[in-house]
Amino acid sequence: MKHLLSLEQLTQAEIEGLIHSAVDLKAKRKSCPQVLAGQTWALIFNKSSTRTRVSFEVGIRELGGSPMFLSGSEMQLGRGEPVKDTARVLGRMVDGAIIRTFAQKDVDDFASFSGIPTINALTDDEHPCQILADLQTMQERLGGWKNKRVCFLGDGDCNVARSWIWASARLGFELVVGAPAPFQPADSFMERVPKGTVSVESDAMRAVSGCDVVYTDVWVSMGKEAESADRLRVLSPYQINTQLMAAANPGAVVMHCLPAYRGKEITDEVMEAHAGIIFEEAENRLHAQKAVMTELVR
Ligand code: CP
Ligand code: NVA
């Protein structure tokens, strides 16, 4: 692996290797190999972040390196300097880059022009780091994903949903995307996904039926704020609440990438009942990303 640009580009063996390494790094949290010693890694963020920023900054330090946070709007990037020029400058000065932005193409271009390990920290298309942490959490809490049925409920065409779809296609577990027609995965996207593990269901109750994991994300992703009113109206039947959870398998867990908007995609009651696993997911961002960076400098 040279970069982590999407889950689409990873093989089953690569994903499994990263999860194995993440679990191992978690066990030796404060005595992990200093694989980034003497290195500086840049974080270039064009969107807000709490978990991703903090977990990368802490993770880089724990691996012996130095993080450098750069807000895209304060860089010349924000005044129109092309990504390919920014990439060639940073490629001569820093050892790795972590990018949160809108267009996937910008992260892909940065990787090819900079020549340094580049990580997608969320684009409009994918959020691979999040799903690696989620898979680690499934490994620890449910013993893995084999024979598990996962439901992604809500905006089925968002970055987190798409990365889940690739995880299902690569690892072979069943994924049901529960979403209303305007928020189902685009046909042009699904054409790229191997058939067999992913299904789409417009009825929320039917979508969660028989599921071991019920997963949701915000209804209004960053950059979609102008569509807020429409999204909240159309997605309201997909809220994870106690009544809906009764349709899932007994003992089913709820997962959420966070931030959570109580009263919208999830009720406070369900959120608090599943807080243990949800905040474990958040912590696992640190371990999974340390595994990714360790792999990229190997
Ligand atoms: N889940 C996630 O990526 O959180 P942040 O937006 O806070 O980084
Ligand atoms: N789909 C959400 C994920 C936030 C972590 C967004 O893009 O805003």
Side-chain angles (χ1 to χ4, degrees), residues 27-60:
K28 48 182 182 218
R29 168 90 191 261
K30 295 289 179 187
S31 59
C32 53
Q34 300 294 286
V35 296
L36 300 188
Q39 297 197 5
T40 299
W41 281 53
L43 285 84
I44 305 170
F45 278 43
N46 285 321
K47 289 177 175 172
S48 306
S49 173
T50 297
R51 280 145 288 272
T52 309
R53 176 179 176 176
V54 173
S55 54
F56 268 113
E57 291 205 25
V58 171
I60 291 164

Coordinates of all heavy atoms in Angstrom, one line a residue, residues 27-60:
A27 N -3.4 -2.7 21.8 CA -3.0 -3.5 23.0 C -1.7 -2.9 23.5 O -1.4 -3.0 24.7 CB -2.8 -5.0 22.6
K28 N -0.8 -2.4 22.6 CA 0.5 -1.8 23.0 C 0.5 -0.3 22.8 O 1.5 0.2 22.3 CB 1.7 -2.5 22.4 CG 1.6 -2.7 20.9 CD 2.9 -3.5 20.5 CE 2.9 -3.7 19.0 NZ 3.4 -4.8 18.4
R29 N -0.6 0.3 23.2 CA -0.8 1.7 23.0 C 0.4 2.6 23.2 O 0.7 3.5 22.3 CB -2.0 2.2 23.9 CG -2.2 3.7 24.0 CD -3.2 4.1 22.9 NE -3.3 5.6 22.9 CZ -4.2 6.3 23.4 NH1 -5.2 5.7 24.1 NH2 -4.2 7.6 23.3
K30 N 1.0 2.5 24.3 CA 2.1 3.5 24.7 C 3.5 2.9 24.3 O 4.5 3.6 24.6 CB 2.0 3.9 26.1 CG 0.7 4.6 26.5 CD 0.7 6.0 25.9 CE -0.6 6.8 26.2 NZ -0.8 8.0 25.5
S31 N 3.6 1.7 23.8 CA 4.9 1.2 23.5 C 5.0 0.7 22.0 O 5.6 -0.3 21.7 CB 5.2 0.1 24.4 OG 4.3 -1.0 24.3
C32 N 4.3 1.5 21.1 CA 4.3 1.1 19.7 C 5.6 1.4 19.0 O 6.2 2.4 19.4 CB 3.0 1.6 19.0 SG 2.9 3.4 19.2
P33 N 5.9 0.7 18.0 CA 7.1 1.0 17.2 C 7.1 2.5 16.7 O 6.1 2.9 16.2 CB 7.1 0.0 16.1 CG 6.2 -1.1 16.5 CD 5.2 -0.5 17.4
Q34 N 8.2 3.1 16.8 CA 8.3 4.6 16.5 C 8.6 4.7 15.0 O 9.6 5.3 14.5 CB 9.4 5.2 17.3 CG 9.1 5.2 18.8 CD 7.9 6.0 19.2 OE1 7.9 7.2 19.2 NE2 6.8 5.3 19.5
V35 N 7.6 4.3 14.2 CA 7.9 4.2 12.7 C 7.9 5.6 12.0 O 8.3 5.7 10.9 CB 6.9 3.2 12.0 CG1 7.0 1.8 12.5 CG2 5.4 3.7 12.3
L36 N 7.4 6.6 12.7 CA 7.4 7.9 12.1 C 8.5 8.8 12.8 O 8.4 10.1 12.6 CB 6.0 8.6 12.3 CG 4.8 7.9 11.6 CD1 3.6 8.8 11.7 CD2 5.1 7.5 10.2
A37 N 9.4 8.2 13.4 CA 10.5 9.0 14.1 C 11.1 9.9 13.1 O 11.5 9.5 12.0 CB 11.5 8.1 14.8
G38 N 11.2 11.2 13.5 CA 11.9 12.2 12.6 C 11.1 12.7 11.4 O 11.5 13.5 10.6
Q39 N 9.8 12.2 11.4 CA 9.0 12.6 10.2 C 8.0 13.7 10.6 O 7.5 13.8 11.7 CB 8.2 11.4 9.7 CG 9.1 10.3 9.1 CD 8.3 9.3 8.3 OE1 7.2 9.5 8.0 NE2 9.1 8.3 7.8
T40 N 7.6 14.5 9.6 CA 6.5 15.5 9.8 C 5.4 15.1 8.8 O 5.6 14.9 7.6 CB 7.0 16.9 9.4 OG1 8.1 17.2 10.4 CG2 5.9 17.9 9.6
W41 N 4.2 15.0 9.3 CA 3.0 14.7 8.5 C 2.1 15.9 8.5 O 1.7 16.4 9.6 CB 2.3 13.4 9.0 CG 3.0 12.1 8.5 CD1 4.3 11.8 8.7 CD2 2.4 11.0 7.8 NE1 4.6 10.6 8.2 CE2 3.4 10.1 7.6 CE3 1.1 10.8 7.4 CZ2 3.2 8.9 7.0 CZ3 0.9 9.5 6.7 CH2 1.9 8.6 6.5
A42 N 1.6 16.3 7.3 CA 0.7 17.4 7.2 C -0.7 16.9 7.2 O -1.1 15.9 6.6 CB 1.0 18.2 5.9
L43 N -1.6 17.7 7.9 CA -3.0 17.4 7.9 C -3.6 18.7 7.2 O -3.5 19.8 7.7 CB -3.6 17.4 9.3 CG -3.4 16.1 10.1 CD1 -2.1 16.1 10.8 CD2 -4.5 15.9 11.1
I44 N -4.2 18.4 6.0 CA -4.8 19.5 5.2 C -6.3 19.4 5.3 O -6.8 18.4 4.7 CB -4.3 19.5 3.8 CG1 -2.8 19.6 3.7 CG2 -4.9 20.7 3.0 CD1 -2.2 19.3 2.3
F45 N -7.0 20.2 6.0 CA -8.4 20.1 6.2 C -9.2 21.2 5.6 O -9.0 22.4 6.0 CB -8.7 19.9 7.7 CG -8.5 18.5 8.2 CD1 -7.4 17.8 7.9 CD2 -9.4 17.9 9.1 CE1 -7.2 16.5 8.3 CE2 -9.2 16.6 9.6 CZ -8.1 15.9 9.2
N46 N -10.1 20.9 4.7 CA -11.1 21.9 4.1 C -12.5 21.8 4.7 O -13.4 22.4 4.2 CB -11.1 21.7 2.6 CG -9.9 22.2 1.9 OD1 -9.4 23.2 2.3 ND2 -9.4 21.5 0.9
K47 N -12.6 20.9 5.7 CA -13.9 20.7 6.3 C -13.7 20.6 7.8 O -12.6 20.2 8.2 CB -14.6 19.4 5.8 CG -15.2 19.5 4.4 CD -15.8 18.1 4.0 CE -16.4 18.1 2.6 NZ -16.8 16.8 2.2
S48 N -14.7 20.8 8.6 CA -14.6 20.7 10.1 C -14.3 19.2 10.5 O -14.5 18.3 9.8 CB -15.9 21.0 10.8 OG -16.4 22.3 10.3
S49 N -13.7 19.1 11.7 CA -13.4 17.8 12.2 C -13.0 17.9 13.7 O -12.4 18.8 14.2 CB -12.2 17.2 11.5 OG -11.8 16.0 12.1
T50 N -13.5 16.9 14.4 CA -13.1 16.7 15.8 C -12.3 15.4 15.9 O -11.1 15.4 16.2 CB -14.3 16.6 16.8 OG1 -14.9 17.9 16.7 CG2 -13.8 16.4 18.2
R51 N -12.9 14.3 15.6 CA -12.3 12.9 15.8 C -11.1 12.7 14.9 O -10.1 12.2 15.3 CB -13.3 11.8 15.5 CG -14.3 11.5 16.6 CD -15.6 11.1 16.1 NE -16.3 12.3 15.6 CZ -17.0 13.2 16.3 NH1 -17.2 12.9 17.6 NH2 -17.5 14.3 15.8
T52 N -11.3 13.0 13.6 CA -10.3 12.7 12.6 C -9.0 13.5 12.9 O -7.9 13.0 12.9 CB -10.8 13.0 11.2 OG1 -12.1 12.3 11.1 CG2 -9.9 12.5 10.1
R53 N -9.2 14.8 13.1 CA -8.1 15.7 13.4 C -7.3 15.2 14.7 O -6.1 15.0 14.7 CB -8.5 17.1 13.6 CG -7.3 18.0 13.9 CD -7.7 19.4 14.0 NE -6.5 20.2 14.5 CZ -6.5 21.5 14.6 NH1 -7.5 22.2 14.3 NH2 -5.4 22.1 15.0
V54 N -8.1 15.0 15.8 CA -7.4 14.7 17.0 C -6.8 13.3 17.0 O -5.6 13.1 17.4 CB -8.4 14.7 18.2 CG1 -7.8 14.2 19.5 CG2 -8.9 16.2 18.4
S55 N -7.5 12.3 16.4 CA -6.9 11.0 16.3 C -5.7 10.9 15.4 O -4.7 10.2 15.7 CB -7.9 10.0 15.8 OG -8.5 10.3 14.6
F56 N -5.6 11.7 14.3 CA -4.4 11.7 13.5 C -3.3 12.4 14.3 O -2.1 12.0 14.3 CB -4.6 12.3 12.2 CG -5.0 11.3 11.1 CD1 -6.3 11.3 10.6 CD2 -4.1 10.3 10.7 CE1 -6.6 10.3 9.6 CE2 -4.4 9.4 9.7 CZ -5.7 9.4 9.2
E57 N -3.6 13.6 14.9 CA -2.5 14.3 15.6 C -1.9 13.5 16.7 O -0.7 13.4 16.8 CB -3.0 15.7 16.1 CG -3.3 16.6 14.9 CD -3.3 18.1 15.3 OE1 -2.5 18.4 16.3 OE2 -3.9 18.9 14.7
V58 N -2.8 12.8 17.5 CA -2.3 12.0 18.6 C -1.5 10.8 18.0 O -0.5 10.4 18.5 CB -3.4 11.6 19.5 CG1 -3.0 10.6 20.5 CG2 -4.0 12.8 20.2
G59 N -2.1 10.2 17.0 CA -1.5 9.0 16.4 C -0.1 9.2 15.9 O 0.8 8.4 16.1
I60 N 0.0 10.3 15.2 CA 1.3 10.7 14.6 C 2.4 10.8 15.7 O 3.5 10.3 15.7 CB 1.3 11.9 13.7 CG1 0.4 11.6 12.4 CG2 2.7 12.5 13.4 CD1 0.0 12.9 11.7

